Amino acid sequence: MTGGGGFAIGHQQQFAIWFVDKVAPFFGKKEENLDDLKLPSFLNIFHDTVVASATLMLVFFGGILFLLGPEIMSNADLIGTGAYSPEKQAFFMYVTQTAFTFSVYLFILMQGVRMFVAELTNAFQGISSKLLPGSFPAVDVAASYGFGSSNAVLSGFAFGLIGQLITIALLVIFKNPVLIITGFVPVFFDNAAIAVYADKRGGWKAAMALSFISGVLQVALGAIAVTLLGLTGGYHGNIDLVLPWLPIGYLFKYMGIIGYVITCVFFLAIPQLQYAKAKDKEAYYRGETQAE
């Protein structure tokens, strides 16, 4: 996707991104991507990232803030230093400002990604040429956002959140003893990244469908992880932590040191298998085949 951007993803979406890369073409055509998606004329304004993200945050998180109400949001002990102050601001304006501020942060993040990656890659040259030949830095998944469709980030967030909320509602309806609460990091960074890669490989259908499925899995498998592993206090439900790490955690708990050994062998085998499959071994060694 990056065209040899010189970095890898070092976050809790690595296995999910690999999986999405393989299955996205089955959901749609990459030529039918989100940037070319035809919207009704009155919705064309949402092709602008800032407008779309501000509206989306106002609908989703604005609704949550209004549901919580000014009494809870003004409790500094619960909310922290960013608590709402009724003496300084009307609650409606507080909600609007909070939602719009996020869209500004997102715009800055996406605009600064390429500059950040370029500087980091150059700074890493000494390590990759002297200490670890052929290596390149692994960075936060947000670094990939600037190389895909800006609409994919918002679509992944929206459809992933819808998948999470539906699954949470099902847990409540069926009186599951474990209640999962939507977390910002999984719902945004996981599902936005999945949509970015899915859109590149399978178009808008893959981006929407796979981010929605990710939201469902985050909640459903998170609840299973809490139950199977006997956890108290919750579980950090990033998509990789409910897919490969769920069976790995099971190995840790019930097989002890043998489980740790199996896991270490598994992770050490991955780069060896990738190298064995690479068509151009020298290019792979130099870190030039990320797109492949």
Side-chain angles (χ1 to χ4, degrees):
M1 186 178 72
T2 65
F7 68 93
I9 300 302
H11 211 247
Q12 299 109 318
Q13 299 85 18
Q14 298 168 85
F15 283 91
I17 288 172
W18 174 85
F19 180 76
V20 164
D21 181 72
K22 304 301 180 187
V23 303
F26 296 102
F27 285 82
K29 300 177 181 179
K30 63 181 180 180
E31 294 80 12
E32 300 174 353
N33 56 53
L34 285 164
D35 285 336
D36 297 328
L37 183 62
K38 301 299 182 183
L39 295 176
S41 56
F42 69 94
L43 292 178
N44 281 337
I45 191 173
F46 291 107
H47 276 303
D48 183 277
T49 304
V50 177
V51 174
S53 61
T55 305
L56 191 65
M57 295 304 297
L58 189 60
V59 170
F60 281 111
F61 278 97
I64 294 173
L65 291 176
F66 273 116
L67 186 63
L68 293 174
E71 292 78 15
I72 292 179
M73 294 308 301
S74 62
N75 191 329
D77 293 333
L78 293 176
I79 309 302
T81 56
Y84 162 65
S85 176
E87 293 81 13
K88 298 180 180 179
Q89 193 177 29
F91 188 63
F92 173 79
M93 293 307 300
Y94 167 77
V95 172
T96 304
Q97 179 181 325
T98 302
F100 286 2
T101 299
F102 173 83
S103 67
V104 174
Y105 290 158
L106 177 61
F107 181 77
I108 293 172
L109 172 69
M110 297 180 67
Q111 291 297 313
V113 158
R114 289 182 182 271
M115 180 177 63
F116 160 74
V117 171
E119 295 294 333
L120 181 65
T121 304
N122 290 333
F124 197 78
Q125 290 300 314
I127 296 176
S128 62
S129 61
K130 300 296 183 182
L131 298 179
L132 295 170
S135 64
F136 46 92
V139 298
D140 193 294
V141 73
S144 65
Y145 294 171
F147 296 90
S149 168
S150 57
N151 294 324
V153 174
L154 300 173
S155 298
F157 168 81
F159 283 90
L161 180 59
I162 292 171
Q164 279 203 3
L165 295 177
I166 291 175
T167 313
I168 291 172
L170 291 175
L171 291 180
V172 174
I173 291 171
F174 290 100
K175 299 180 179 180
N176 192 288
V178 177
L179 177 63
I180 301 296
I181 300 173
T182 297
F184 179 79
V185 173
V187 79
F188 180 76
F189 287 95
D190 287 4
N191 303 325
I194 285 172
V196 167
Y197 283 85
D199 179 61
K200 197 75 172 181
R201 296 283 282 154
W204 65 269
K205 294 179 182 178
M208 294 178 182
L210 290 171
S211 56
F212 176 84
I213 293 171
S214 172
V216 172
L217 294 177
Q218 287 165 335
V219 173
L221 295 184
I224 292 174
V226 171
T227 304
L228 285 181
L229 303 178
L231 302 173
T232 57
Y235 188 67
H236 193 61
N238 279 98
I239 188 64
D240 274 3
L241 295 179
V242 296
L243 286 174
W245 274 104
L246 179 54
I248 286 172
Y250 201 80
L251 289 176
F252 287 174
K253 182 172 182 178
Y254 295 102
M255 296 185 69
I257 189 64
I258 297 177
Y260 285 93
V261 172
I262 293 174
T263 301
C264 289
V265 171
F266 169 68
F267 281 114
L268 290 172
I270 290 175
Q272 310 308 320
L273 294 173
Q274 290 177 323
Y275 180 77
K277 289 178 62 179
K279 296 177 181 179
D280 187 340
K281 298 291 193 292
E282 291 301 320
Y284 185 91
Y285 182 73
R286 294 193 301 270
E288 296 176 358
T289 57
Q290 294 93 324
E292 180 71 27

